[in-house]
Amino acid sequence: MNAVLKNIITRRSIRSFQDKQVLAEDLDLILLAGSYAPSGRGLQSWKFTAVQNPQVLGKINETIRLALREVTPGPETHPYVVRLIEKAKREDSEFLFHAPTYLIVSNEVKNVNSMADSALALGNMMLAAHSLGLGSCWLNHLPNLPPTQRVRSLLTELNIPETHKVFGTLALGYPKDTPRAAERKDVIHIIR
Ligand SMILES: Cc1cc2nc3c(=O)[nH]c(=O)nc-3n(C[C@H](O)[C@H](O)[C@H](O)COP(=O)(O)O)c2cc1C
């Protein structure tokens, strides 16, 4: 198996990180890999925001916590979200897995391909991270929060344009553990 395929197959979501910041040259390569993802009509309308500052990471975590506290769970709320809302009641709750770096991919709301383009960029970044010995995990808390004033003010502070929506985020750092892959489902159907 070639190195690219091996990298794809061995990547896992990492939720536990060493207490060590991502090297600047590795972060640059990961962001570069994201920027070379395909995008509909080649628009590249995304923006990649990398946060490494501990105070800003703390602010993001606290905004997620406070925004979750404002969500009222209903009968249709997914049990995972209900657990998150419950977790948010504790003041010391951590939503970013204590990752030293947090990557936010935002994109133009008006671009019909924004979600697909952003997902491809995030996929490239996760694979690039793995190839460099780093771990990552897609985190959907920030993207899924209702767009309240509290959330929008945070995005403005992070210089995310008013015309953008956050489509996905990544916790990024050097992995503490190496989880096993789940069994692959039988989803392949070849018509020859
Ligand atoms: C769109 C998307 C959203 C995800 N959201 C979360 C999340 O909010 N929290 C989390 O811990 N993992 C999240 N994950 C990671 C998945 O749980 C993980 O990819 C899946 O269990 C398969 O594991 P693997 O990535 O190790 O192969 C997300 C993955 C994707 C693709």
Side-chain angles (χ1 to χ4, degrees):
M1 191 184 291
N2 70 41
V4 172
L5 289 171
K6 195 165 173 222
N7 189 59
I8 291 171
I9 287 166
T10 57
R11 180 214 55 82
R12 295 279 69 80
S13 290
I14 300 299
R15 297 181 175 86
S16 165
F17 299 95
Q18 296 173 34
D19 191 16
K20 178 177 143 193
Q21 187 51 276
V22 176
L23 292 175
E25 55 264 41
D26 286 351
L27 180 63
D28 288 348
L29 286 170
I30 291 164
L31 296 168
L32 181 73
S35 76
Y36 271 83
S39 60
R41 294 164 53 213
L43 287 181
Q44 303 176 43
S45 58
W46 47 46
K47 180 169 181 179
F48 309 146
T49 304
V51 182
Q52 296 193 309
N53 179 295
Q55 276 77 41
V56 181
L57 287 170
K59 173 87 195 266
I60 294 170
N61 189 68
E62 184 62 358
T63 303
I64 291 172
R65 189 181 80 79
L66 294 175
L68 276 168
R69 289 198 61 167
E70 288 163 0
V71 179
T72 314
E76 260 116 69
T77 313
H78 193 279
Y80 175 70
V81 179
V82 174
R83 282 201 298 279
L84 283 179
I85 295 168
E86 215 30 58
K87 180 176 169 180
K89 289 182 183 162
R90 292 196 311 274
E91 280 185 18
D92 62 348
S93 288
E94 168 66 31
F95 294 95
L96 311 180
F97 300 131
H98 297 286
T101 298
Y102 184 59
L103 293 184
I104 302 169
V105 174
S106 63
N107 212 329
E108 287 291 337
V109 178
K110 278 195 181 155
N111 178 355
V112 291
N113 291 312
S114 275
M115 186 192 281
D117 293 352
S118 301
L120 284 165
L122 283 152
N124 269 16
M125 292 195 270
M126 287 191 276
L127 289 171
H130 179 50
S131 78
L132 295 165
L134 283 143
S136 67
C137 184
W138 184 311
L139 286 178
N140 248 354
H141 312 324
L142 190 57
N144 283 352
L145 283 172
T148 56
Q149 188 55 45
R150 183 193 296 287
V151 174
R152 186 55 247 180
S153 311
L154 171 75
L155 301 185
T156 303
E157 254 181 74
L158 299 173
N159 268 318
I160 293 174
E162 295 286 333
T163 53
H164 275 209
K165 176 177 156 33
V166 174
F167 284 93
T169 73
L170 292 183
L172 181 70
Y174 296 94
K176 241 187 199 169
D177 56 0
T178 45
R180 288 169 64 90
E183 282 289 307
R184 292 298 97 178
K185 292 187 179 170
D186 184 16
V187 294
I188 297 166
H189 179 50
I190 303 173
I191 300 171
R192 292 199 167 94

